[in-house]
Amino acid sequence: MRILLIEDDPILGDGLQVGLQQAGYSVDWLADGALAADALANDEFDAVILDLALPSRSGRQLLADWRDAGQTVPILVLTAYDALDDRIDGLDGGADDYLVKPVALEELAARLRALVRRSQGQADNCLRWDGIEFNRASGILSIDGQVLDLSAHERQIITALLERPGQTLTREQLASRLYGWDGGPESNSLEVHIHNLRRKLGRQRIKTVRGLGYRMAQPDR
Amino acid sequence: MNISLQTRLLLLMSVALAIGVLVTQQAGRYESRRTAAADIDARLGRVAHTLLLSWQVSNDLTVASIPALTVAPPAPDGKRLPVFEVTTFDNRVLLRSHDFPLRTHALRAAGPGYGNAEIENTRWRVFTVIDSQRRIICRVALNEHDRSLREATLAPHFDQPLLLGVPLILVLGWMSLVYGLRPLRRLSRELARRDATDLAPIRSVDNDAIVEIRALRRTLDGLFERLRHAVNAQRLFTAAAGHELRTPLAGLRTQIEVAQRAPDAQQQTHALERIARAGEHMEKLVSRLLHLARLDSGETEIARHTLDFAALVARISGDYARVACDGVDRPAELQGDASLLEALVTNLLDNACRHAPTDTPVEVTLAHHDHWLTLHVRDHGPGLPEADRARAFDVFYRGENTFGEGSGLGLALVRAIARAHGGHAGIDPPSRDGLCVTVRLPAAHRS
């Protein structure tokens, strides 16, 4: 799951980025409101964590601009403003959730999962595709009831593929899911992860769309 | 002593009334005495002239021929008629009432006109008329007893209405007091019903016709207004302080969770380092808040030691690579609190560095003239829009273009410290680029 984090406090921003990465999310962090405005236009994120008090452009303004532009990405407002009116304004202004600082990383992660799940029209945390069941909360993947052991990166890739089963994801999309803007260690590391996933799931479950990317496929029986 | 306004007014009124009654009564006595005396004198005069007139009509009569006149009948209402005699110049009695005192010489000693005489411890009022043509003297007199009788009949006319009036005045007065003080009681009831946090203006309009109550209500409303402002300012400060502390607290908490879950030592060290920084940041924030709260309330008297402000500025500027100093090579002494002045300079420099891009210099100039030390701190950042200049020194105000951690307390603290030292802080009018903050502090007196 790829998250855009917009928070101007360096210590909190760093903590949220590292903490969410520990929980298996790919997190891109911006501290400036004006820079964040363009980030959503040019990149794909599963959810946004937005602080309201930002330099250059306030979080409220960003929220309003994004919603006016038709952005439907789930936005979680994380702020120090705790008054009831602030919460109501935030939610009415287009936020999907409103959390007051400080917040436990686990709760933040759970709320992000819930937001993404809802935005993808799923009832629970489980992604299912042709006998594969992946629980996003616990990170456990099973095929026909048999649990597989996956690395964090493999989990990211299979989540992305299972969220849009049948739809092709480009290598760039998958790489950004894995590493955000940091690029990642090597250009072929994605292929390594795909190779390992195929080994665990079965070769035919992840199909290579030549020149484009990858998609989930049903094995020939 | 606890005493109600009503009782107090009633007591004052009773005392005033008692004094009034006494004065009126005395005046009445005096008046009745005077009236009685005038009354009696008039009667004596009338009788004397009547006698002389009748004597004139019948001056050929002998004494013996008018014996009936010698006995005056008692007056019907117990009033006694005056005694009288008519004599010749050689004291031959021509006419005399039967009750005329036998020892006549005292009465005869009185000269013409009104006079007083005393016979056997009884005072007499006597009126003597001399008819020198016919050479006769007429004397008419009334004794003290009859006189005081007259006074006694007159006095009640003055006293009685007073005696009836006093209780009536007291009862009516008490009722008026109870009625008159009703608006005050109503106001007091309304104030008593108030919630401790209710600082809204007093509503009761029906009391407003009374000038004193209106004045009292306005005074109270004014007080409520000032209280409301103070409470609001306090509330805003507390709320803003809460906001400002929440973010570093959230950072601290998140980094602790990160450290707890860190898969390797490197990540843990990184998180612990951030935890230490968050702690420092919060410490700085809290100490600024406390400084501000103390300076604002005027609670603490600041220390006043003579110190070299130029050296202090130079020393602190040395910690900032971007800061260039001018005018700090000559000593500039002032009296003040070293730690507060350090906080002032540090906050100014922090503020300048935070608001300007990292590759631009910050210029510090210290000037000394006319008993004032003037410190300019100029950055080459985006500056402040005209509209925001007035708010720049407000607590928790943060500009739009800040880089990194700002608390919104720095300039507020700078101003508070400058004021505590008898100086002031302001923003120079815009010139070229950036922002120039100026602090003026009174220099030490040179002896």
Side-chain angles (χ1 to χ4, degrees):
Chain A
M1 211 185 289
R2 189 178 180 200
I3 310 288
L4 176 62
L5 168 65
I6 306 164
E7 165 62 61
D8 68 326
D9 184 76
I11 293 169
L12 178 60
D14 175 85
L16 290 175
Q17 186 178 33
V18 178
L20 289 174
Q21 279 166 352
Q22 284 175 349
Y25 296 83
S26 156
V27 182
D28 289 310
W29 169 33
L30 290 172
D32 186 87
L35 290 177
D38 302 327
L40 265 194
N42 305 325
D43 247 314
E44 240 178 76
F45 293 93
D46 294 299
V48 178
I49 300 172
L50 179 65
D51 180 21
L52 291 184
L54 292 170
S56 299
R57 196 176 299 180
S58 82
R60 284 191 185 85
Q61 191 59 48
L62 282 177
L63 196 56
D65 291 350
W66 284 334
R67 293 312 188 203
D68 283 348
Q71 275 286 357
T72 55
V73 61
I75 295 172
L76 182 149
V77 167
L78 178 64
T79 177
Y81 299 104
D82 63 337
L84 183 64
D85 286 349
D86 293 326
R87 292 166 190 256
I88 292 171
D89 284 352
L91 291 170
D92 282 347
D96 296 282
D97 204 349
Y98 194 100
L99 280 178
V100 175
K101 295 172 186 175
V103 63
L105 273 173
E106 278 181 3
E107 184 185 354
L108 184 63
R111 284 187 187 257
L112 287 171
R113 277 196 297 277
L115 283 182
V116 173
R117 193 176 69 216
R118 235 177 288 146
S119 74
Q120 292 168 355
Q122 289 149 358
D124 60 19
N125 271 327
C126 285
L127 297 170
R128 296 179 188 84
W129 170 256
D130 193 37
I132 300 176
E133 190 173 305
F134 178 68
N135 187 319
R136 280 201 269 207
S138 61
I140 289 171
L141 184 131
S142 57
I143 296 181
D144 301 328
Q146 197 182 345
V147 176
L148 296 184
D149 189 23
L150 296 182
S151 76
H153 283 152
E154 290 161 6
R155 223 175 268 137
Q156 287 265 30
I157 292 169
I158 195 69
T159 311
L161 290 171
L162 285 175
E163 276 166 1
R164 304 164 186 82
Q167 192 183 325
T168 304
L169 292 181
T170 63
R171 294 186 71 257
E172 288 71 30
Q173 278 175 317
L174 281 174
S176 73
R177 282 289 290 254
L178 275 186
Y179 312 113
W181 294 321
D182 296 342
E186 279 152 37
S187 55
N188 68 342
S189 62
L190 182 65
E191 277 76 14
V192 176
H193 295 310
I194 295 279
H195 174 79
N196 290 339
L197 268 176
R198 279 179 173 154
R199 190 164 49 76
K200 291 176 185 173
L201 294 169
R203 272 206 64 80
Q204 291 163 331
R205 289 198 183 256
I206 300 173
K207 190 177 177 183
T208 305
V209 182
R210 202 158 297 279
L212 279 176
Y214 303 94
R215 67 176 171 86
M216 294 303 288
Q218 282 167 336
D220 304 329
R221 297 193 195 255
Chain B
M1 191 172 67
N2 288 322
I3 186 165
S4 76
L5 185 58
Q6 197 172 305
T7 316
R8 190 182 148 87
L9 285 175
L10 196 65
L11 278 176
L12 286 172
M13 196 183 78
S14 305
V15 169
L17 193 63
I19 292 170
V21 164
L22 278 174
V23 169
T24 314
Q25 204 177 26
Q26 286 308 313
R29 290 251 167 85
Y30 172 76
E31 187 61 23
S32 62
R33 201 170 293 144
R34 209 182 58 81
T35 309
D39 197 13
I40 283 163
D41 283 358
R43 263 163 72 194
L44 293 180
R46 215 161 44 240
V47 170
H49 283 110
T50 310
L51 278 169
L52 280 179
L53 208 63
S54 56
W55 187 255
Q56 198 171 9
V57 172
S58 54
N59 57 351
D60 54 336
L61 292 178
T62 62
V63 177
S65 69
I66 45 163
L69 276 177
T70 60
V71 180
D77 57 349
K79 287 179 194 167
R80 302 270 298 267
L81 286 173
V83 299
F84 58 86
E85 68 167 10
V86 179
T87 61
T88 58
F89 275 16
D90 51 357
N91 286 338
R92 196 167 55 87
V93 175
L94 297 175
L95 184 68
R96 172 182 264 178
S97 62
H98 76 284
D99 46 1
F100 197 83
L102 295 174
R103 297 173 170 217
T104 53
H105 63 271
L107 292 180
R108 284 180 180 166
Y114 292 104
N116 296 309
E118 195 171 326
I119 306 167
E120 286 170 352
N121 296 325
T122 309
R123 279 164 53 81
W124 288 79
R125 180 72 171 165
V126 58
F127 182 59
T128 308
V129 189
I130 298 172
D131 185 343
S132 46
Q133 220 179 354
R134 287 180 285 166
R135 301 182 58 80
I136 53 172
I137 302 168
C138 176
R139 294 188 187 84
V140 186
L142 195 70
N143 69 21
E144 183 78 2
H145 176 71
D146 294 338
R147 230 179 103 167
S148 54
L149 209 69
R150 176 70 188 142
E151 270 175 39
T153 56
L154 272 176
H157 293 292
F158 293 94
D159 282 355
Q160 265 168 11
L162 214 58
L163 288 174
L164 271 175
V166 166
L168 193 67
I169 288 172
L170 275 177
V171 169
L172 287 176
W174 181 73
M175 283 164 66
S176 324
L177 275 180
V178 170
Y179 180 80
L181 288 174
R182 236 170 38 173
L184 201 61
R185 277 199 300 277
R186 208 155 42 210
L187 184 67
S188 135
R189 263 202 309 276
E190 194 187 319
L191 287 175
R193 268 203 305 271
R194 241 161 211 264
D195 194 45
T197 55
D198 180 8
L199 294 174
I202 299 168
R203 282 182 308 277
S204 56
V205 191
D206 50 335
N207 276 344
D208 252 20
I210 299 155
V211 176
E212 287 85 353
I213 299 279
R214 191 164 55 218
L216 182 64
R217 185 183 63 78
R218 284 189 182 152
T219 310
L220 282 173
D221 279 350
L223 181 67
F224 285 153
E225 176 82 15
R226 287 198 297 282
L227 263 176
R228 209 164 43 237
H229 278 302
V231 168
N232 271 347
Q234 199 69 42
R235 201 175 287 157
L236 279 180
F237 184 85
T238 315
H243 284 158
E244 291 308 315
L245 285 169
R246 265 217 176 94
T247 297
L249 192 66
L252 194 65
R253 174 172 181 168
T254 308
Q255 292 288 355
I256 289 170
E257 286 181 53
V258 167
Q260 282 168 342
R261 285 168 206 178
D264 50 54
Q266 193 200 342
Q267 209 175 71
Q268 196 167 33
T269 314
H270 175 85
L272 286 174
E273 199 182 289
R274 299 295 153 98
I275 290 170
R277 257 180 57 193
E280 275 169 32
H281 179 62
M282 284 182 74
E283 196 184 313
K284 211 189 264 182
L285 193 63
V286 168
S287 99
R288 280 176 182 173
L289 278 172
L290 288 178
H291 269 320
L292 255 184
R294 282 200 200 118
L295 288 172
D296 271 359
S297 67
E299 183 192 300
T300 41
E301 181 65 20
I302 61 162
R304 290 194 184 275
H305 303 294
T306 304
L307 53 92
D308 183 0
F309 190 57
L312 187 143
V313 171
R315 177 162 53 78
I316 295 173
S317 303
D319 296 339
Y320 295 78
R322 300 160 60 187
V323 173
C325 273
D326 188 30
V328 294
D329 38 359
R330 280 174 297 119
E333 286 187 341
L334 57 69
Q335 294 207 317
D337 183 317
S339 69
L340 283 179
L341 290 171
E342 273 173 27
L344 178 143
V345 176
T346 308
N347 276 296
L348 272 177
L349 297 184
D350 277 350
N351 189 66
C353 291
R354 201 166 44 241
H355 288 90
T358 45
D359 53 348
T360 58
V362 170
E363 289 141 20
V364 173
T365 319
L366 182 65
H368 186 176
H369 46 76
D370 295 342
H371 311 293
W372 286 94
L373 301 182
T374 310
L375 181 71
H376 298 283
V377 176
R378 170 180 295 283
D379 67 47
H380 293 276
L384 259 185
E386 194 63 41
D388 290 346
R389 281 167 182 274
R391 289 168 52 216
F393 288 94
D394 286 356
V395 177
F396 299 119
Y397 168 78
R398 293 169 76 176
E400 286 281 291
N401 299 294
T402 46
F403 295 85
E405 344 179 338
S407 62
L409 288 176
L411 283 184
L413 189 56
V414 164
R415 181 164 68 177
I417 293 173
R419 281 182 179 172
H421 283 83
H424 48 87
I427 291 177
D428 284 7
S431 67
R432 291 177 305 176
D433 61 339
L435 189 74
C436 185
V437 181
T438 297
V439 175
R440 274 157 68 83
L441 296 167
H445 301 294
R446 291 203 173 274
S447 49

